[in-house]
Amino acid sequence: MDKRCISVILGGMLLRLLLFTAFPSLPTLLGNRVEISTPVTSFKRLQEGLFLYTHGVSPYDGGVYHQAPLLLAFFSMMPSSAMATNLIYIIADIQSTLALIDIARSGWSTKSRLHESKRKEMAWPAWGVAAAFLFNPFTIAACIGRPTVVFTNTVILTAIAKAIQGRPTPATLALALSSYLSLYPCLLLAPLVLLSYDFLLHCHSTTLLPTNFSLSKFATTQVTIYFTAVACLLGLSYLITGNSWEFLASTYGVHLFLPDLTPNVGLWWYFFIEMFDPFREFFLCVFQLHLLIYAPGLTIRLRKQPLFVCITMLGILSIFKSYPSIGDTALYLSLLPLYRHIIPLMRYSFVVTSAILYATLLGPAFYHLWIYAGSGNANFFYAITLVWSLSVTLVVADALFAVLREEWEVEGNGREGKPVVQI
Amino acid sequence: MHLLSSLPKLRLFLTIITLSICLPLASTSSSVSSASSTATPSQAPSEHDYNEHLTLRPLPGNSLLASFNFKSNGSLDHGDHMLLFPRSLKQVLTASWARELHVKFTLGRWNAEEYGVQPNSGRTAGGTGVEVWAWVEAGDEEEAFARWTTLTNALSGLFCASLNFIDATRTIRPVLSFQPTGHHSDATLSRLHLLHGSLPREPVCTENLTPFLKLLPCKAKVGISTLLDGHKLFDANWQSMSIDVRPVCDDNGENCKLEMEQAVDMVVDIERSLRRRDSPIPKPRPHDQLLCDETKPYLTEDASCFPLDNLFDLGWSLSEIFGRPITGTCPFGVKEGVEALRVCLEVPDSRPVFLSVGSQERKFDPQNRCFLLPGEGYFDMILPKQRPPTLSPSTPPALFAERSFTGYGQERGGVQTILRNPSLTHSVDFVYLESLPWFMKPYLHTLSARLSGSPQANNEAFIKETYYRPALDRKRGTHLEIRMSVPRNSTVLLTYDFEKAVLRYTEYPPDANRGFDIAPAIIGILESQGVVGGVGGGEGRKVVSYLRTTSLLLYLPTPDFSMPYNVIILTSTVIALAFGTVFNILVRKFVLKSEVPKLGGRVSGLVGKVKNLLLKKRGKE
């Protein structure tokens, strides 16, 4: 690791420490924001769950705590001081940065087994990617507000980093942990397996690999490992929560059935507030299936770049999952700099940047008008969530366009920089 | 009418009266009063006794507390011999396996600072709205809840109240606050389930009073119940109607009977009652009739006035306060002894009281002046204006409790209860019970108790025991019970934070922006431990009196109720846009723009042909 990376990490760490110590009320203030904390990630709810858990009341027999049981066990072992908790969150962010640096240094985003970009020299160095993550205001807000989505992000980044380092089993285990923490990362399983497979084929000479090494065998092994790991984690949770499965309905059931309609930056809450009762189940199914459908499409079309499939899936999840927060968007936006070289090919960069800034600034204002000032109604905040979702959608779609176009440019000569159409 | 003199036929007749709700009231009343001449007390079996009395106590601020009490007994067996016990209620109790039942309808606010302790130590009063609790005999919790549902639905019909809305989200099972007051055998006790439900929003009104009075043997036609008139009762500052049914046995556990106590307590504003009499349309009093404090220096000559209170006791009479005098006596009541039908007045001997002819004064205890009702005719009581006022000091309650919301905004908030122990010598132990709806989500880790004035929370010193059952969305409300102790002459603040849920738009009531009522907190004062500092078990101590805080109004954030279609359409559009864009990019091929054939190649060909034709024609010409 070079000096620049280390100084970026140190800078990010100091900034966070400074924010935690200089503004002691900031974590509570940010943690109370609906854009940062959702019912399934809120730190205050985690504290309530911990309190109930340490006092012998099952936190899953109630409507407040919807997070994974292992978090309870983890935090009940940690010292309960605020500083210790803050340090845990800072360490999680640093671990994420380290994983990102690993991903960036491998250069897998520009040159992989099946694809080699012609714009390689434009890619950002590792320290740049790390800085884009550590000094992203969304990432900082998510770290200071202390939602548990920070841990999910760390685990996802670790999974990707391990896959690129040619260690498929740790990658799959990390992915299993992230799915255990917040369900939706399970959609990354297919691209992650492909990513590990590509790397193994590319970097190890055929002699090192078993003679009958094939994708189907490799995938079967990894999927088995994944499900075994998830089962083990669930079994462990079963033991932690006093031999009861009720945590399943209270954690994953909440992700799936949306009983808590607290506002967030996503599209679900207002839709299901206003939904007519007979159609509620139908639209729940439609919304969940809608998320599911992107995974195979992207994986097949972008077979050459599974890393970008992972990133795009994270972007789509940050818009369309049931309880999204800006922590999810922060993860997507900090993975995009890995693809710095395709940014010139994006068509709506200016519009998208303006729209994201617009939603970021107006969101809290409109929420205040609705909830505190009483001079606006729910539609104000709803409109801003629509703008936010649309703008992130545009980023996702535009980046996807740029990557596909770049792939197409690589496939033939004389295509660079010329106007194209899709037919 | 001479046929009725034999007892079985009288029973039959009374049963018919009890059941026939639609019977013209005039004929019922005449039948009862004529029956009264034939049914003498010696004919009524002792276990079916009935008595009623009225206690009147002047309160500060020219208010008057009127406590009506009606007690009747029925047999415990499952036969049809009801006599005075209302058959309709007995059938409900039998069908729902309720062994002990308490129903309270309350309205208004009991001002404990002025009025002191509640009548009957708060035993007969409930929280604002309707409150029901019952011990239901059942094998398990599920069966108990099914029977509880039967009970609340039946009571709902019986009392014309929305008791059927007490569903699982409004039902709790208190563990510390309530103990059975009747006698239950140990075998039964182990099978009893206590369920408690409250409807803080229920507006108690005349339609609840009418069925309440129908349960009385004399049905507000004779006796002291004739004073109960909806116009007067619901004009009171505070009023409570309660029904307590419990099995009562003698000391050996024999001779059990089912006792029903119906009580109506009301605090009447004497001045307002009299003003109604003088002018039915409320008008401001002319300036020369106002009682002003002339000593206030800041009052100028013109119409300003600083009103004076408690200068004298207003003069009043029963018929002025209640609109009518007591008519006759209920013929089924006990006529002799301590339990005799009577009207008692808690005023000192110095205050003159004028009675109507035929009534006599009896002294049962020194504080009370009781009067036996004359057998027939009207009974009225006149207290003339008295100056200076003769107020007997009110007993302060063991604890003053005030509960309010803290914080602002529709996202989250806090609850603060101020608990003040007025006693200079004793600490007070009590159980604090909260039953919150599921959409108000308390954070138990923020629960703290601290002395007023000290910034440091000190939960261990004040909170002895906590029982908490968290809410489940749309399934169950929060149930929080705390056993606490407040040291002598001090004030403890109990606070906790909560979060407000956003509901589906169909779950809001039509007047969503009015807010949601939160049931009053119930505080049961535990009996003192006897020896100060002695080893007292926290468990098993009896609750000696109850008090309740006021209900609260919770504002929830509301969606826009007018645009479900718009929201569905807009959100679906965004999703369709995302889906369409992404898959459009995924499935289409990239082509260089220069390679794409020019739009409308065929059209230009056609145009060329036409041009050629035209040119040919021109050439020929």
Side-chain angles (χ1 to χ4, degrees), chain A residues 193-194 197 213-220 303:
Chain A
V193 168
L194 286 178
Y197 174 77
F213 187 76
S214 72
L215 178 59
S216 56
K217 271 204 167 170
F218 180 73
T220 320
R303 171 65 191 92

Coordinates of all heavy atoms in Angstrom, one line a residue, chain A residues 193-194 197 213-220 303:
Chain A
V193 N -20.1 -15.3 -8.1 CA -19.6 -16.6 -8.5 C -18.8 -16.5 -9.8 O -17.7 -17.0 -9.9 CB -20.7 -17.6 -8.5 CG1 -20.2 -18.9 -9.1 CG2 -21.2 -17.9 -7.1
L194 N -19.4 -15.7 -10.8 CA -18.8 -15.6 -12.1 C -17.5 -14.8 -11.9 O -16.5 -15.1 -12.5 CB -19.7 -14.8 -13.0 CG -20.9 -15.6 -13.6 CD1 -21.7 -14.8 -14.5 CD2 -20.3 -16.8 -14.3
Y197 N -14.9 -17.0 -10.5 CA -14.5 -18.0 -11.6 C -13.6 -17.4 -12.6 O -12.5 -18.0 -12.9 CB -15.8 -18.5 -12.2 CG -15.6 -19.5 -13.4 CD1 -15.2 -20.8 -13.1 CD2 -15.8 -19.0 -14.7 CE1 -15.0 -21.6 -14.2 CE2 -15.6 -19.9 -15.8 CZ -15.2 -21.2 -15.5 OH -15.0 -22.0 -16.6
F213 N -11.9 -28.6 -14.0 CA -12.5 -27.4 -13.5 C -13.4 -26.8 -14.5 O -13.1 -26.5 -15.7 CB -11.3 -26.4 -13.3 CG -11.7 -25.1 -12.6 CD1 -12.0 -25.1 -11.3 CD2 -11.8 -24.0 -13.3 CE1 -12.4 -24.0 -10.6 CE2 -12.2 -22.8 -12.7 CZ -12.5 -22.8 -11.4
S214 N -14.7 -26.7 -14.2 CA -15.7 -26.1 -15.1 C -16.6 -25.2 -14.3 O -16.7 -25.3 -13.1 CB -16.5 -27.2 -15.7 OG -17.4 -27.8 -14.8
L215 N -17.2 -24.3 -15.0 CA -18.1 -23.3 -14.4 C -19.2 -24.0 -13.6 O -19.5 -23.6 -12.4 CB -18.7 -22.4 -15.4 CG -19.6 -21.3 -14.9 CD1 -18.9 -20.5 -13.8 CD2 -20.2 -20.4 -16.0
S216 N -19.8 -25.0 -14.2 CA -21.0 -25.6 -13.5 C -20.6 -26.2 -12.2 O -21.2 -26.0 -11.1 CB -21.7 -26.6 -14.4 OG -20.7 -27.6 -14.7
K217 N -19.4 -26.9 -12.2 CA -18.9 -27.5 -10.9 C -18.6 -26.5 -9.9 O -19.0 -26.5 -8.7 CB -17.7 -28.4 -11.2 CG -18.1 -29.8 -11.6 CD -16.9 -30.7 -11.3 CE -17.4 -32.1 -11.4 NZ -16.3 -33.0 -11.3
F218 N -17.9 -25.4 -10.4 CA -17.4 -24.4 -9.5 C -18.7 -23.7 -8.9 O -18.8 -23.5 -7.6 CB -16.6 -23.4 -10.3 CG -16.1 -22.2 -9.4 CD1 -15.1 -22.4 -8.5 CD2 -16.7 -20.9 -9.6 CE1 -14.7 -21.3 -7.7 CE2 -16.3 -19.9 -8.8 CZ -15.3 -20.1 -7.9
A219 N -19.7 -23.4 -9.7 CA -20.9 -22.7 -9.2 C -21.6 -23.5 -8.2 O -22.1 -23.0 -7.2 CB -21.8 -22.3 -10.4
T220 N -21.7 -24.8 -8.5 CA -22.4 -25.7 -7.6 C -21.7 -25.7 -6.2 O -22.4 -25.6 -5.2 CB -22.4 -27.2 -8.1 OG1 -22.6 -27.1 -9.5 CG2 -23.5 -28.0 -7.5
R303 N -21.8 -10.6 -19.3 CA -21.1 -11.8 -18.9 C -19.6 -11.5 -18.8 O -18.9 -12.0 -18.0 CB -21.3 -12.9 -19.9 CG -20.4 -14.2 -19.7 CD -20.7 -14.8 -18.4 NE -19.7 -15.9 -18.1 CZ -18.6 -15.6 -17.5 NH1 -18.3 -14.4 -17.0 NH2 -17.7 -16.6 -17.2

